């Protein structure tokens, strides 16, 4: 062990990123490339009667305009393909017919020699519609709600135990309230961007995606091109947050454009276009019912969510997904309903379900704390779940009590006077609030390949991707650890569908899925070297047993006599070998459903080269009995807010997050991830909201000047800590993913702190100044 795992090393791609050397999808210089600009519908429902493209076509430089009339025919991707990515709108394959289902739907693309020419011409495309009456508003159409069966994420949508209705009726203390969250947009820094390039019968995509492997399968299916003729590259991604998890029209349409004009086409969505045709978080209305006895012990939890989906797919914002297991209660009832609207389809957005769900539930818990006169932390301890009471299984590892204790200490909870409005600094009202954070610890099948070269450097390959979170860095650390090499000897190669298939960057699963595969491929390579040296009479390690040697300091050494051993470079030179390599597939899955899990279900196996895919590391990993367990991460958020009593403005002064996420792979990137989630949650609490024109169904807040995201001036002082106890059940590396847990609970903690400061309970997000004065 060279003790590299956990170290807060800088990002291995940091220098490339700050010097402009990291090439993002839109930045590849492809010869002969043309620029596409999308034309979006301006009605929310109806049919396209006519395109008048004559004026646009006359613009100098314009070489083609793609509409449904001249586009190639697409095939419906089968949702049962376990290796497939998911197309976001299954009943609306782009540019196939004259139907319009939402305002801002992609209906044409203008292609020209320059971006400016394409942009200009795109505004000259005239579209005549036969409009129909759209369904725009969730509240007004609540009567049309229906109960979906399953969420596309695989989560159950209707879950109950005992009889929550009756238990709530007879409870001596109860909270029954409704909480609402608006539509949110991901607003990743990098827009959805694709370059598509046909070379004979093969097609190459440079695509901003959370799944190069899934996008490859999906494009193969939609375009009707064999899988081995599709390649997807995504070396660097400027954030996804779920918006690049499902595939949106831009990717497949870029290939359709390239086909039409027979040249490579670059298609990048503008910030405004991202607000309609690249996903969003569904609006939610959540009714929470909590019943308890006088001591605060919960007897009933009800969580009814009404959300929206589109007319062209079914997405469920599973706000109640954590509710059956987060607290102990004999009676639980969780339900989800959907209303179809003529708006673009919602999709996963960082902590899909849990982010709005923990907001509502954790505010309700705070309300119960006040009603019962019990401290909010104490109330959570009284109702602490020692196991998953819905599934009757143990947690693989849970240290939430420690998170509460540590977080309370870090924020100075003991100095809090619980009486609302009682604490002040100057004229500012001071409030402290807390909430529980939780997110599942997902793991799915992944494969990887490692190659040790004669010069002593290593290349590791996996068709997963780094969406900006630090995947390159922590996987480099995992490989360096296995090889006993410094990180600068490891070249981590991700973001290319040609590599062995890895997990998609969704559901916070990459660390726990890809990490073990990379470790196993690396250990498999090391083991081949070990076998070689102990059998080689010329090696100082000759005759030792496998378990008597260790990979460290750039080679293989004796465990008992660390001065005895030799460098990889010396070993390979003596053996006359160019390289030593090994591949590995780890098929462990902690997910209930593989539907949202493109890398799962053994499909990785078919794609790896014809060599051994298993070794001792894989076997040991797969031997662990995971059936008695459920896999979740937990944490606690604490915030201090200052509220201006005259202006109603809220400043989060301090935010503390203590997370129990298993092994911390890199303290720096881990803090960065949690901080990013917390910023997301503060935005959700205080300012973010997409507003729609009530008649046109078109977002009116559709750029960053009126869709407000937190900026530096909004930032609190952050203190982030980890429990850092390895989860030995989930995988040999002991780490659980951290992409999403940071945003869960923090929104409620802010709302609860505002109540503590002001005595005002705002149940409609965002908590803007007008709601506080
Ligand atoms: Mo995440 S919202 O599953 O990309």
């Amino acid at each position: 062990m060279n003790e590299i795992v956990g170290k807060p090393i800088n990002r291995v791609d940091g220098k490339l990123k700050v010097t402009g050397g990291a090439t993002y999808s839109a930045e590849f210089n492809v010869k002969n490339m043309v620029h596409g600009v999308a034309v979006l519908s301006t009605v929310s429902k109806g049919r396209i009667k006519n395109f008048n493209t004559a004026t646009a076509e006359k613009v100098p430089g314009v070489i083609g305009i793609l509409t449904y009339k001249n586009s190639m025919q697409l095939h419906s991707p089968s949702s049962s393909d376990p290796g497939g990515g998911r197309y976001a709108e299954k009943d609306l394959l782009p540019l196939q017919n004259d139907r319009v289902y939402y305002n801002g739907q992609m209906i044409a693309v203008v292609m020209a020699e320059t971006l400016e020419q394409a942009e200009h011409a795109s505004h000259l495309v005239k579209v005549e519609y036969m409009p129909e009456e759209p369904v725009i508003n969730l509240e007004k159409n609540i009567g049309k709600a229906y109960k979906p069966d399953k969420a596309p994420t695989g989560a159950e949508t209707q879950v109950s135990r005992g009889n929550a209705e009756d238990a709530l009726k007879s409870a001596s203390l109860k909270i029954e309230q409704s909480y609402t969250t608006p539509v949110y947009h991901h607003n990743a820094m990098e827009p959805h961007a694709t370059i598509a390039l046909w070379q004979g019968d093969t097609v190459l995509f440079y695509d901003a995606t959370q799944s190069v492997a899934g996008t490859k399968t999906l494009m193969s299916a939609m375009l009707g091109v064999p899988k081995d003729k599709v390649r997807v590259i995504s070396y660097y991604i400027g954030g996804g947050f779920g918006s690049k998890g499902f595939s949106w029209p831009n990717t497949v349409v870029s290939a359709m454009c390239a086909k039409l004009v027979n040249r490579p086409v670059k298609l990048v969505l503008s910030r405004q276009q991202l607000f309609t045709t690249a996903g969003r978080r569904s609006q939610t209305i959540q009714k929470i019912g909590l019943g308890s006895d006088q001591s605060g012990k919960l007897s009933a939890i009800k969580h009814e969510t009404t959300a929206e989906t589109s007319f062209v797919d079914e997405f469920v914002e599973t706000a109640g997904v954590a509710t059956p297991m987060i607290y102990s209660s004999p009676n639980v009832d969780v339900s989800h309903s959907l209303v179809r609207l003529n708006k673009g389809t919602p999709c996963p957005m960082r902590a899909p379900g849990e982010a709005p769900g923990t907001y509502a539930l954790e505010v309700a818990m705070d309300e119960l704390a006040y009603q019962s006169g019990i401290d909010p932390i104490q109330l959570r301890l009284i109702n602490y779940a020692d196991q998953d009471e819905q599934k009757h299984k143990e947690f693989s590892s849970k240290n939430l009590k420690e998170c509460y204790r540590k977080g309370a200490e870090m924020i100075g909870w003991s100095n809090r006077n619980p009486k609302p409005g009682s604490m002040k600094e100057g004229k500012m009202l001071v409030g402290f609030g807390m909430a529980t954070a939780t997110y599942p610890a997902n793991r799915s099948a992944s494969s990887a390949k490692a190659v040790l070269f004669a010069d002593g450097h290593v290349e590791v390959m996996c068709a997963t991707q780094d969406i900006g979170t630090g995947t390159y860095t922590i996987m480099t650390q995992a490989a360096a650890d296995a090889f006993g090499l410094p990180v600068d000897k490891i070249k981590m190669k991700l973001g290319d569908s040609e590599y062995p298939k890895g997990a998609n960057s969704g559901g916070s699963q990459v660390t726990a899925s890809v990490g073990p595969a990379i470790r196993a491929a690396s250990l498999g390579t090391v083991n081949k070297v070990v076998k070689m040296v102990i059998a080689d009479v010329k090696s100082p390690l000759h005759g030792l047993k496998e378990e008597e040697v260790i990979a460290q300091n750039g080679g293989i050494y004796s465990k008992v006599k660390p001065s005895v051993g030799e460098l990889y470079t010396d070993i390979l030179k003596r053996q006359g070998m160019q390289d030593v390599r090994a591949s590995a597939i780890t098929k462990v899955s902690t997910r209930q459903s593989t539907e949202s899990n493109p890398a799962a279900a053994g499909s990785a196996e078919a794609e790896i080269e014809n060599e051994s895919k298993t070794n001792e590391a894989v076997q040991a990993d797969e031997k662990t009995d995971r059936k008695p367990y459920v896999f979740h991460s937990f944490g606690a958020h604490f915030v201090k807010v200052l509220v201006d009593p005259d202006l109603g403005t809220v400043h989060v002064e301090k935010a503390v997050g203590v997370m129990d996420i298993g092994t911390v792979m890199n303290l720096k990137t881990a803090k960065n991830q949690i901080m990013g989630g917390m910023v997301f949650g503060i935005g959700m609490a205080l300012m973010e909201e997409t507003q729609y024109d009530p008649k046109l169904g078109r977002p009116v807040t559709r750029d960053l000047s009126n869709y407000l995201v937190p900026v530096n001036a909004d930032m609190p002082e952050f203190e982030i800590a980890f429990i850092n106890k390895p989860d030995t059940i989930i995988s040999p590396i002991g780490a659980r993913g951290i992409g999403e847990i940071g945003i869960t609970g923090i929104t409620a903690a802010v709302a609860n702190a505002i109540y503590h400061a002001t005595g005002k309970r705002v149940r409609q997000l965002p908590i803007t100044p007008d709601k506080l004065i």
Side-chain angles (χ1 to χ4, degrees), residues 135 144 146 309-314 338-342:
V135 186
K144 296 181 184 143
Y146 71 97
T309 189
S310 71
F311 282 94
V312 293
D313 210 328
E314 184 176 88
L338 292 175
V339 176
R340 291 197 189 275
L341 300 180
N342 287 103

Side-chain angles (χ1 to χ4, degrees), residues 210 241-242 348-352 439 505-508 740:
Q210 292 176 225
F241 313 117
M349 179 166 163
R350 203 171 195 181
Y439 196 76
S505 304
S508 299
E740 325 207 37

